[in-house]
Amino acid sequence: MKINLERVRSDLQEEMCNLQNDPFMLSRTETNAAIFEVMPQDRYPKLIDFALKIKSFFGSTYICESTFSSMKYIKSAQRNTLTNEALEHLLRFATTQIEVDIVKLVSNTKRIRLSH
């Protein structure tokens, strides 16, 4: 892996130069972001920190895009009948990773009689 060091930020150039000449790292078969998982933290702290910052962009963008996609679906299905509070609850439910037992929640609530 040869990178033009002139195109690298000045604070990362030394570590990048060391990385390009590191026999341990040259023998590795990992590619792309996986390479940063095997890099020794004590030898490449700036490069690892930089990689983690870049990697975090993609995760936060995905969450944002996923939430907007869910909101678009919810609002199109229910039109304008949703209150802001109901939309907030539906978005939270749509984007959470927590498993919710709806049947148990509904069975624990009091029965409400609706008149026509």
Side-chain angles (χ1 to χ4, degrees), residues 47-88:
L47 283 176
I48 292 172
D49 184 55
F50 180 74
L52 290 174
K53 287 177 183 175
I54 297 299
K55 189 176 178 181
S56 71
F57 291 156
F58 298 107
S60 61
T61 301
Y62 170 78
I63 292 168
C64 182
E65 292 295 328
S66 175
T67 303
F68 276 114
S69 178
S70 296
M71 184 175 71
K72 180 180 173 185
Y73 175 75
I74 291 167
K75 288 190 92 168
S76 69
Q78 301 297 325
R79 304 280 190 265
N80 293 328
T81 61
L82 292 174
T83 63
N84 285 340
E85 183 180 9
L87 179 60
E88 182 181 338

